[in-house]
Amino acid sequence: MSTSDSKDSRAPLSALLYDGATSGARTVAVRISRAPDGSIIAAIEGHGLSRDVGLQSRALRGQVGNARAVLPLSDGGTLEFLNSAALNDALASAGAAAARGWVHRLEGNWKAALVTVVSIVVGTWAFLAYGVPALASRAMRAIPVSVDAEVGARGLAALDRSVLGPTGLPESRQADLKRAFSTLVVDAAPDVSGFRLEFRQGGRLGANAFALPSGIVVMTDELVAAARNDDELRAVLAHEVGHVVHRDAMRLLVQSSATALLMLGLLGDVNSASSLVAAVPTALVNAAYSRDVEREADAFALKWMARHHISGERLADLLTRLSQQPGVNSGGLFASHPGLAERVRRAKRKR
Amino acid sequence: MATDGDADYSGYTDEQLTEAAYNVDRGRYPLNAQRLLDEQERRRTQAAPAAAEPVRALTPEFHADGREYFRIWIVNLALTIVTLGIYSAWAKVRKLRYFYSNTSLAGSAFGYHADPIKILKGRVIAAAAAVTYFAATRYSVFATLVVFGVIAAVMPWLVVRSRMFAMRMTSWRGIRFGFRKDYLGAYGALLGWMVLAVVTFGFMLPYAACKRYEFIVNRTRFGATAFDCHPRAGRFYKTAFAVGGMAFVLMFVAGLLATWLASALGGVSASIGGPARVVQGVVFLAYIPLYALIHGYTESRNLNEVFRTTTLGDLRLKCQLRARSLMQIYLTNLLGIVFTLGLYTPWAQLRLMRYRLGAMSVEVSGTLDAFVAGTEGPAVGAAAEEIGDFLDVDFGF
């Protein structure tokens, strides 16, 4: 064998030269050098050909991994280097190591890759845990309350069309509960206006209560029927008032939009399966946010109850009873509410 | 110690020859170096005699390496995050260039030459369109319908522009691919047949798919030579019926399994949300093999038919994708990505690419040296391609 050490920087590089007019390929030998003005010169030899061409710095920076460097030349031709590692060695020994670009060097570095993986994981977690809620609070201050009213009214109208039915509660019962609600509101949330209590037939939502943006609280007939006394209903109403005071419905709307965007950005690269792959972590994160605001609303309700000497047992009793009806979820990573056991434990702590 | 000029390269394989050409020290062994070049030249001319040569099938080679691509992928991802998405244009170019330039046919690699700045401009326009789209869907049903109408109306235009951009940026042996600017044909082939498919309650859908492929391939050219493609619609129907049948059986079995599970679990099912939840869960899980089945089977059969009936000058193309292998790749890729929280993604992409390329071949009877460059059309912006990416209008092969 009469080939020399491949590390010899003076060894010419093997390349294919195309003239840009036809698809014929010519095997040539190329030597790389650096001109005084810093430009990179390729001396091409072979097939009776001997000439120098300048290599575009943009094309050199565009090299990726050890993929062949396919470099367009200024005369319309193309030079294809068969061994990209050898090209970079040649660039380095010509004193032009920087020509390949810092991204290309970064991509060749395992340590950097590892650090990157760790920082993406930690960064994503920190952003989801602290960044998104903080940004949402910021954004909420910028969203005028009139938007809440619009979203709330539209939300209720949509629910009326799809799930909820007109209430069957007697007028007097409604009036009683509304009176209790306004007392509660004046006391628990003196700074917030726009509260309104609505009654509806729950349909497949069953015994339930929820707060829409702008202070619309909806309570289903089934829930009123399931309660053994009005203190239980007051506990639920206090929980919903907590949601309104914290503007939770709007907050979740803002946060879920942010997470959906983030997940799409992170996992959007996964071609056609992306929607399926991105849907699961998005749902997980949004469920976690939802559980957080439920915990805060529970805490709000229990604080108010304690001030008015209503035992936390009332909330615990009602939650326990409701959990026995079919179709109620009982915790888990995808659940919108914390597990029953946890909520009851917290409630019972406040006697 | 060997003396110069006594090396015999005739026994070398082509790869060894390339390797030697890189390694040889021309200063010390000028005669050997010349012999090497002569041998390469001899093989080149020998490989290219005219008609008598028997037909040989060339398969593209794919040299990408999973570990190397992982680092490229993760750097792309990190820089995209740090720059709040701006780097994604550079990321796209680097990814495609890694794929293209690691693919070689008859010893020559493909090139990808898009300018990231152009792609970035396109992405900004696409993002504006996307925001409008989301705002409209949130706002009202009517606005959503209007947006859908607009998308349908501009879709053929988008496809043509995006194909023009993608093809112009792709080269092989220094010759660029191209796509003929045929807007009128696009409205007929892409929108006309689609409207007919909707009017006939989907019965014309396989026919529309066939016409779509035919349109795309027939407008594509390599240099000055146009591809010529005549897929048979009957094949598309056969595939569609087979997929429909299998999908139905799969969902039927999933339904049976769900009902059986719900009743078998009985009391237990109440604690995980009732029998309805069990059925929902099983049906959701069944979507994963369903997705693999529909995509794997349809893609393999349709592409095989399209390539089988495609020629480029004297070349015949061929594609031998196997539905089962493709389904297996889709399924295991999806599971791999989910269970590694996305870290398997680069390997998944390479695996799919390697399988697809390995199934393709070009039947050559003469030489591949005789293609000539085409006249380059006007420059095309990347906006259409980026909007198309967002809408999942993908006609890449």
mmCIF file of all heavy atoms in Angstrom, chain A residues 316-347:
data_model
loop_
_atom_site.group_PDB
_atom_site.id
_atom_site.type_symbol
_atom_site.label_atom_id
_atom_site.label_comp_id
_atom_site.label_asym_id
_atom_site.label_seq_id
_atom_site.Cartn_x
_atom_site.Cartn_y
_atom_site.Cartn_z
ATOM 1 N N ALA A 316 -66.907 18.724 52.975
ATOM 2 C CA ALA A 316 -66.450 17.336 52.875
ATOM 3 C C ALA A 316 -67.625 16.392 52.639
ATOM 4 O O ALA A 316 -67.563 15.507 51.780
ATOM 5 C CB ALA A 316 -65.695 16.944 54.138
ATOM 6 N N ASP A 317 -68.722 16.615 53.400
ATOM 7 C CA ASP A 317 -69.896 15.742 53.260
ATOM 8 C C ASP A 317 -70.433 15.782 51.835
ATOM 9 O O ASP A 317 -70.685 14.747 51.214
ATOM 10 C CB ASP A 317 -71.017 16.194 54.205
ATOM 11 C CG ASP A 317 -70.670 15.886 55.649
ATOM 12 O OD1 ASP A 317 -69.678 15.145 55.857
ATOM 13 O OD2 ASP A 317 -71.366 16.396 56.556
ATOM 14 N N LEU A 318 -70.599 17.021 51.343
ATOM 15 C CA LEU A 318 -71.180 17.169 50.005
ATOM 16 C C LEU A 318 -70.280 16.539 48.943
ATOM 17 O O LEU A 318 -70.744 15.804 48.062
ATOM 18 C CB LEU A 318 -71.419 18.650 49.700
ATOM 19 C CG LEU A 318 -72.130 18.907 48.367
ATOM 20 C CD1 LEU A 318 -73.563 18.391 48.412
ATOM 21 C CD2 LEU A 318 -72.126 20.380 48.011
ATOM 22 N N LEU A 319 -68.973 16.791 49.057
ATOM 23 C CA LEU A 319 -68.036 16.228 48.068
ATOM 24 C C LEU A 319 -68.095 14.714 48.079
ATOM 25 O O LEU A 319 -68.100 14.058 47.034
ATOM 26 C CB LEU A 319 -66.610 16.692 48.364
ATOM 27 C CG LEU A 319 -66.300 18.163 48.072
ATOM 28 C CD1 LEU A 319 -64.901 18.521 48.567
ATOM 29 C CD2 LEU A 319 -66.414 18.438 46.580
ATOM 30 N N THR A 320 -68.150 14.139 49.295
ATOM 31 C CA THR A 320 -68.193 12.684 49.418
ATOM 32 C C THR A 320 -69.456 12.144 48.761
ATOM 33 O O THR A 320 -69.422 11.171 48.007
ATOM 34 C CB THR A 320 -68.172 12.268 50.901
ATOM 35 O OG1 THR A 320 -67.129 12.986 51.534
ATOM 36 C CG2 THR A 320 -67.946 10.782 51.049
ATOM 37 N N ARG A 321 -70.586 12.813 49.025
ATOM 38 C CA ARG A 321 -71.856 12.358 48.467
ATOM 39 C C ARG A 321 -71.818 12.447 46.931
ATOM 40 O O ARG A 321 -72.256 11.542 46.241
ATOM 41 C CB ARG A 321 -72.996 13.212 49.025
ATOM 42 C CG ARG A 321 -74.307 12.439 49.119
ATOM 43 C CD ARG A 321 -75.357 13.255 49.851
ATOM 44 N NE ARG A 321 -74.897 13.748 51.135
ATOM 45 C CZ ARG A 321 -74.984 15.037 51.506
ATOM 46 N NH1 ARG A 321 -75.502 15.932 50.697
ATOM 47 N NH2 ARG A 321 -74.546 15.413 52.680
ATOM 48 N N LEU A 322 -71.299 13.578 46.431
ATOM 49 C CA LEU A 322 -71.271 13.757 44.981
ATOM 50 C C LEU A 322 -70.380 12.727 44.300
ATOM 51 O O LEU A 322 -70.645 12.291 43.186
ATOM 52 C CB LEU A 322 -70.775 15.160 44.619
ATOM 53 C CG LEU A 322 -71.694 16.308 45.003
ATOM 54 C CD1 LEU A 322 -71.086 17.628 44.549
ATOM 55 C CD2 LEU A 322 -73.078 16.128 44.392
ATOM 56 N N SER A 323 -69.316 12.312 44.993
ATOM 57 C CA SER A 323 -68.374 11.387 44.367
ATOM 58 C C SER A 323 -69.004 10.021 44.163
ATOM 59 O O SER A 323 -68.486 9.212 43.401
ATOM 60 C CB SER A 323 -67.129 11.249 45.234
ATOM 61 O OG SER A 323 -67.441 10.466 46.363
ATOM 62 N N GLN A 324 -70.121 9.772 44.869
ATOM 63 C CA GLN A 324 -70.741 8.453 44.715
ATOM 64 C C GLN A 324 -71.649 8.371 43.505
ATOM 65 O O GLN A 324 -72.099 7.297 43.130
ATOM 66 C CB GLN A 324 -71.526 8.097 45.992
ATOM 67 C CG GLN A 324 -70.592 7.603 47.087
ATOM 68 C CD GLN A 324 -71.075 7.977 48.471
ATOM 69 O OE1 GLN A 324 -72.206 8.405 48.635
ATOM 70 N NE2 GLN A 324 -70.215 7.802 49.459
ATOM 71 N N GLN A 325 -71.929 9.536 42.874
ATOM 72 C CA GLN A 325 -72.751 9.443 41.656
ATOM 73 C C GLN A 325 -71.861 9.014 40.491
ATOM 74 O O GLN A 325 -70.654 9.265 40.486
ATOM 75 C CB GLN A 325 -73.471 10.756 41.376
ATOM 76 C CG GLN A 325 -72.551 11.919 41.073
ATOM 77 C CD GLN A 325 -73.327 13.176 40.730
ATOM 78 O OE1 GLN A 325 -74.541 13.220 40.844
ATOM 79 N NE2 GLN A 325 -72.608 14.183 40.306
ATOM 80 N N PRO A 326 -72.463 8.310 39.498
ATOM 81 C CA PRO A 326 -71.637 7.760 38.423
ATOM 82 C C PRO A 326 -70.998 8.857 37.564
ATOM 83 O O PRO A 326 -71.531 9.963 37.469
ATOM 84 C CB PRO A 326 -72.636 6.942 37.596
ATOM 85 C CG PRO A 326 -73.974 7.518 37.928
ATOM 86 C CD PRO A 326 -73.882 8.006 39.329
ATOM 87 N N GLY A 327 -69.873 8.510 36.965
ATOM 88 C CA GLY A 327 -69.244 9.413 35.993
ATOM 89 C C GLY A 327 -68.363 10.469 36.616
ATOM 90 O O GLY A 327 -67.870 11.346 35.930
ATOM 91 N N VAL A 328 -68.163 10.397 37.936
ATOM 92 C CA VAL A 328 -67.311 11.397 38.570
ATOM 93 C C VAL A 328 -65.875 10.900 38.566
ATOM 94 O O VAL A 328 -65.608 9.764 38.937
ATOM 95 C CB VAL A 328 -67.770 11.652 40.019
ATOM 96 C CG1 VAL A 328 -66.784 12.564 40.731
ATOM 97 C CG2 VAL A 328 -69.147 12.261 40.022
ATOM 98 N N ASN A 329 -64.956 11.744 38.131
ATOM 99 C CA ASN A 329 -63.579 11.283 38.129
ATOM 100 C C ASN A 329 -63.006 11.385 39.538
ATOM 101 O O ASN A 329 -63.482 12.150 40.370
ATOM 102 C CB ASN A 329 -62.731 12.048 37.117
ATOM 103 C CG ASN A 329 -62.516 13.490 37.522
ATOM 104 O OD1 ASN A 329 -62.092 13.771 38.634
ATOM 105 N ND2 ASN A 329 -62.815 14.404 36.623
ATOM 106 N N SER A 330 -62.000 10.571 39.794
ATOM 107 C CA SER A 330 -61.507 10.515 41.160
ATOM 108 C C SER A 330 -60.004 10.687 41.172
ATOM 109 O O SER A 330 -59.273 9.805 41.580
ATOM 110 C CB SER A 330 -61.896 9.183 41.784
ATOM 111 O OG SER A 330 -61.494 8.144 40.924
ATOM 112 N N GLY A 331 -59.537 11.804 40.703
ATOM 113 C CA GLY A 331 -58.116 12.098 40.774
ATOM 114 C C GLY A 331 -57.354 11.467 39.636
ATOM 115 O O GLY A 331 -57.928 10.940 38.694
ATOM 116 N N GLY A 332 -56.056 11.534 39.716
ATOM 117 C CA GLY A 332 -55.233 11.043 38.619
ATOM 118 C C GLY A 332 -54.639 12.216 37.875
ATOM 119 O O GLY A 332 -55.015 13.371 38.088
ATOM 120 N N LEU A 333 -53.688 11.896 36.962
ATOM 121 C CA LEU A 333 -52.917 12.944 36.298
ATOM 122 C C LEU A 333 -53.741 13.754 35.318
ATOM 123 O O LEU A 333 -53.432 14.892 35.017
ATOM 124 C CB LEU A 333 -51.735 12.320 35.567
ATOM 125 C CG LEU A 333 -50.596 11.873 36.480
ATOM 126 C CD1 LEU A 333 -49.557 11.116 35.696
ATOM 127 C CD2 LEU A 333 -49.980 13.068 37.186
ATOM 128 N N PHE A 334 -54.829 13.149 34.761
ATOM 129 C CA PHE A 334 -55.617 13.863 33.765
ATOM 130 C C PHE A 334 -56.813 14.573 34.389
ATOM 131 O O PHE A 334 -57.583 15.222 33.696
ATOM 132 C CB PHE A 334 -56.113 12.892 32.685
ATOM 133 C CG PHE A 334 -55.057 12.512 31.705
ATOM 134 C CD1 PHE A 334 -54.404 11.296 31.808
ATOM 135 C CD2 PHE A 334 -54.710 13.381 30.684
ATOM 136 C CE1 PHE A 334 -53.411 10.958 30.907
ATOM 137 C CE2 PHE A 334 -53.721 13.041 29.781
ATOM 138 C CZ PHE A 334 -53.075 11.826 29.899
ATOM 139 N N ALA A 335 -57.020 14.411 35.728
ATOM 140 C CA ALA A 335 -58.228 14.929 36.354
ATOM 141 C C ALA A 335 -58.164 16.446 36.485
ATOM 142 O O ALA A 335 -57.114 17.027 36.715
ATOM 143 C CB ALA A 335 -58.412 14.285 37.719
ATOM 144 N N SER A 336 -59.336 17.081 36.340
ATOM 145 C CA SER A 336 -59.385 18.539 36.432
ATOM 146 C C SER A 336 -59.441 18.988 37.888
ATOM 147 O O SER A 336 -59.176 20.134 38.199
ATOM 148 C CB SER A 336 -60.603 19.061 35.682
ATOM 149 O OG SER A 336 -61.775 18.578 36.318
ATOM 150 N N HIS A 337 -59.844 18.082 38.795
ATOM 151 C CA HIS A 337 -59.933 18.413 40.219
ATOM 152 C C HIS A 337 -58.998 17.523 41.013
ATOM 153 O O HIS A 337 -58.709 16.402 40.592
ATOM 154 C CB HIS A 337 -61.362 18.209 40.719
ATOM 155 C CG HIS A 337 -62.317 19.241 40.198
ATOM 156 N ND1 HIS A 337 -62.599 19.375 38.870
ATOM 157 C CD2 HIS A 337 -63.048 20.194 40.839
ATOM 158 C CE1 HIS A 337 -63.471 20.375 38.698
ATOM 159 N NE2 HIS A 337 -63.748 20.885 39.885
ATOM 160 N N PRO A 338 -58.520 17.996 42.170
ATOM 161 C CA PRO A 338 -57.710 17.118 43.019
ATOM 162 C C PRO A 338 -58.553 15.929 43.459
ATOM 163 O O PRO A 338 -59.784 15.985 43.418
ATOM 164 C CB PRO A 338 -57.358 18.010 44.213
ATOM 165 C CG PRO A 338 -57.671 19.400 43.805
ATOM 166 C CD PRO A 338 -58.725 19.318 42.759
ATOM 167 N N GLY A 339 -57.910 14.855 43.891
ATOM 168 C CA GLY A 339 -58.625 13.669 44.313
ATOM 169 C C GLY A 339 -59.540 13.968 45.496
ATOM 170 O O GLY A 339 -59.301 14.888 46.288
ATOM 171 N N LEU A 340 -60.621 13.179 45.607
ATOM 172 C CA LEU A 340 -61.605 13.380 46.673
ATOM 173 C C LEU A 340 -60.948 13.311 48.041
ATOM 174 O O LEU A 340 -61.178 14.150 48.918
ATOM 175 C CB LEU A 340 -62.692 12.313 46.556
ATOM 176 C CG LEU A 340 -63.697 12.312 47.702
ATOM 177 C CD1 LEU A 340 -64.628 13.505 47.581
ATOM 178 C CD2 LEU A 340 -64.485 11.014 47.738
ATOM 179 N N ALA A 341 -60.101 12.292 48.237
ATOM 180 C CA ALA A 341 -59.480 12.080 49.544
ATOM 181 C C ALA A 341 -58.748 13.334 49.986
ATOM 182 O O ALA A 341 -58.881 13.787 51.131
ATOM 183 C CB ALA A 341 -58.524 10.893 49.473
ATOM 184 N N GLU A 342 -57.993 13.937 49.041
ATOM 185 C CA GLU A 342 -57.217 15.127 49.383
ATOM 186 C C GLU A 342 -58.131 16.293 49.756
ATOM 187 O O GLU A 342 -57.914 16.976 50.754
ATOM 188 C CB GLU A 342 -56.334 15.516 48.186
ATOM 189 C CG GLU A 342 -55.518 16.771 48.448
ATOM 190 C CD GLU A 342 -54.925 17.371 47.175
ATOM 191 O OE1 GLU A 342 -54.689 16.621 46.212
ATOM 192 O OE2 GLU A 342 -54.713 18.589 47.171
ATOM 193 N N ARG A 343 -59.196 16.488 48.957
ATOM 194 C CA ARG A 343 -60.085 17.626 49.209
ATOM 195 C C ARG A 343 -60.800 17.451 50.543
ATOM 196 O O ARG A 343 -60.944 18.398 51.312
ATOM 197 C CB ARG A 343 -61.104 17.752 48.073
ATOM 198 C CG ARG A 343 -60.470 18.113 46.747
ATOM 199 C CD ARG A 343 -61.489 18.284 45.659
ATOM 200 N NE ARG A 343 -62.183 19.564 45.748
ATOM 201 C CZ ARG A 343 -63.189 19.915 44.944
ATOM 202 N NH1 ARG A 343 -63.626 19.072 44.026
ATOM 203 N NH2 ARG A 343 -63.775 21.091 45.064
ATOM 204 N N VAL A 344 -61.251 16.221 50.834
ATOM 205 C CA VAL A 344 -61.963 15.970 52.083
ATOM 206 C C VAL A 344 -61.017 16.179 53.274
ATOM 207 O O VAL A 344 -61.372 16.791 54.283
ATOM 208 C CB VAL A 344 -62.547 14.542 52.080
ATOM 209 C CG1 VAL A 344 -62.994 14.131 53.461
ATOM 210 C CG2 VAL A 344 -63.704 14.464 51.093
ATOM 211 N N ARG A 345 -59.771 15.686 53.128
ATOM 212 C CA ARG A 345 -58.800 15.820 54.213
ATOM 213 C C ARG A 345 -58.584 17.298 54.555
ATOM 214 O O ARG A 345 -58.609 17.703 55.708
ATOM 215 C CB ARG A 345 -57.487 15.157 53.796
ATOM 216 C CG ARG A 345 -56.410 15.145 54.851
ATOM 217 C CD ARG A 345 -55.345 14.084 54.535
ATOM 218 N NE ARG A 345 -55.229 13.814 53.099
ATOM 219 C CZ ARG A 345 -54.424 14.477 52.270
ATOM 220 N NH1 ARG A 345 -53.665 15.424 52.712
ATOM 221 N NH2 ARG A 345 -54.377 14.178 50.984
ATOM 222 N N ARG A 346 -58.397 18.116 53.490
ATOM 223 C CA ARG A 346 -58.180 19.550 53.728
ATOM 224 C C ARG A 346 -59.405 20.185 54.372
ATOM 225 O O ARG A 346 -59.295 21.037 55.246
ATOM 226 C CB ARG A 346 -57.890 20.267 52.404
ATOM 227 C CG ARG A 346 -56.489 20.059 51.911
ATOM 228 C CD ARG A 346 -56.350 20.731 50.556
ATOM 229 N NE ARG A 346 -55.201 20.217 49.825
ATOM 230 C CZ ARG A 346 -53.995 20.753 49.906
ATOM 231 N NH1 ARG A 346 -53.776 21.798 50.666
ATOM 232 N NH2 ARG A 346 -52.996 20.234 49.233
ATOM 233 N N ALA A 347 -60.597 19.775 53.888
ATOM 234 C CA ALA A 347 -61.832 20.377 54.401
ATOM 235 C C ALA A 347 -62.013 20.053 55.875
ATOM 236 O O ALA A 347 -62.374 20.898 56.681
ATOM 237 C CB ALA A 347 -63.022 19.892 53.587
#
